[in-house]
Amino acid sequence: MDFLFPATAFAMGAQGGAGSGAQGNPIVSLLPLILMFVIFYVLLIRPQQKRQKEHKAMLEALQRGDEVVTSGGIHARVTGVTDETVTLEIAPNVKIKVSKPAIATVKKRGG
């Protein structure tokens, strides 16, 4: 079995020597990598950035009376908004404070 390894190494060396003179364009060899990055950007990165921008705009537009759902699934009405927190009423006379990013969606705009 040991006699096969030198023959394999010799055969591989012969192929490498014959093919080494015919180097291709480096851009052609990078093309699959570039194409993969473009597909990754279009399918994953761009939609995520769009969602983050929409969520940020939604949080900036929060106002008193809006009905919201938190990321924890709590349905509540907004009773106060500051720069970093939102006060929510989850039941009559039961209020909690949550961070603004914890608001997942706005169900209904209040007046």
Side-chain angles (χ1 to χ4, degrees):
M1 193 80 173
D2 289 336
F3 62 90
L4 291 177
F5 291 118
T8 304
F10 179 73
M12 291 174 71
Q15 289 176 347
S20 63
Q23 292 279 330
N25 189 354
I27 294 176
V28 173
S29 63
L30 289 175
L31 193 61
L33 185 64
I34 293 169
L35 183 64
M36 196 167 32
F37 178 76
V38 168
I39 291 171
F40 187 75
Y41 177 79
V42 169
L43 293 178
L44 296 175
I45 297 172
R46 203 170 103 208
Q48 180 65 25
Q49 288 176 342
K50 184 178 178 185
R51 266 181 296 212
Q52 285 177 342
K53 188 183 285 186
E54 290 172 356
H55 189 254
K56 184 178 179 182
M58 178 198 66
L59 292 179
E60 290 174 356
L62 271 179
Q63 58 187 342
R64 194 172 181 186
D66 289 348
E67 291 187 16
V68 297
V69 179
T70 66
S71 57
I74 298 172
H75 294 248
R77 174 169 281 140
V78 175
T79 59
V81 179
T82 65
D83 289 341
E84 296 179 6
T85 62
V86 178
T87 305
L88 302 174
E89 184 175 24
I90 56 176
N93 297 322
V94 179
K95 295 181 181 180
I96 60 172
K97 273 189 178 181
V98 296
S99 297
K100 268 190 173 181
I103 304 296
T105 59
V106 176
K107 291 192 315 185
K108 184 169 58 170
R109 293 282 178 194

